[in-house]
Each structure stands twice: as structure tokens, then as C-alpha cells.
Amino acid sequence: MTYTDVFPNELDIHRRAGAVLIDVREPDEYALGHVPGALNLPLSALQGRETEVPGGAVLICASGNRSSQAAAYLAGLGHQKLKNLMGGTFGWMREGRDLATGDRP
């Protein structure tokens, strides 16, 4: 099983198609700024909560490293059509896109 990398400029396409956005950073990182609409499920808490990640989800972190680890782990468990946001939140910001702050999507 594998996952697909997507670029920040492609994220809206996946969101419109119904993809759930999941930020795998720690809660304090998430609260400082995240892609609007992303839910927080830290990589450190993922084991045992895998069922909370639906097929087709887009996984996000700061740079794309942790989210690719999460995507590979979940794909190995049989999750389908997962995506990893290349460049993560930093890539999102580099394109001039806004972030949401706080502990809510």
C-alpha cells in the first residue's frame, strides 16, 4: 500500500472532493497555526486511533516529514487513497496562504 504526495496548490481540489485534512503535529504546534479545516491527531497518538483517519485523508505536518511517516504507517495497515501534503504547513504559508490558530479546525 502507498500514499500520494500532493502540493499545497492542489489541496483545495482534494478538499472539495471531500478529503478530511489531518494535522499530525503536536497540539501546541497545531494551535500556533494550521491549515484551516485541519483536524489535529498527533503522530505520537496515532497508534490505537488509526480508525479515526478515513480513506482519502490528507495528512499534514510542518514540512511533510511526519505526515509522510503517518501516511506510510496507515497505508501499511490498509488505509486507501491517503495523501501527504508536500512542504506541509510551511509550504502552505510559503504560497501566501492563511493559517488558522487555536485548538479548533
Side-chain angles (χ1 to χ4, degrees), residues 41-53 73-74 77:
L41 177 55
L43 180 60
S44 63
L46 186 57
Q47 191 171 11
R49 295 178 63 187
E50 298 90 348
T51 59
E52 295 178 38
V53 180
Y73 169 70
L74 292 165
L77 295 176

Side-chain angles (χ1 to χ4, degrees), residues 20-39:
V20 173
L21 309 181
I22 299 181
D23 191 315
V24 299
R25 295 176 298 155
E26 294 301 314
D28 59 326
E29 296 173 279
Y30 175 85
L32 289 173
H34 54 273
V35 173
L39 305 171

Side-chain angles (χ1 to χ4, degrees), residues 28-97:
D28 59 326
E29 296 173 279
Y30 175 85
L32 289 173
H34 54 273
V35 173
L39 305 171
N40 187 219
L41 177 55
L43 180 60
S44 63
L46 186 57
Q47 191 171 11
R49 295 178 63 187
E50 298 90 348
T51 59
E52 295 178 38
V53 180
V58 178
L59 301 166
I60 305 167
C61 67
S63 66
N65 186 26
R66 284 178 281 180
S67 54
S68 67
Q69 290 174 24
Y73 169 70
L74 292 165
L77 295 176
H79 285 246
Q80 300 289 313
K81 300 180 183 176
L82 294 173
K83 293 150 190 82
N84 172 55
L85 182 63
M86 293 292 294
T89 305
F90 293 141
W92 180 261
M93 289 185 325
R94 274 192 302 273
E95 289 195 0
R97 299 172 186 267

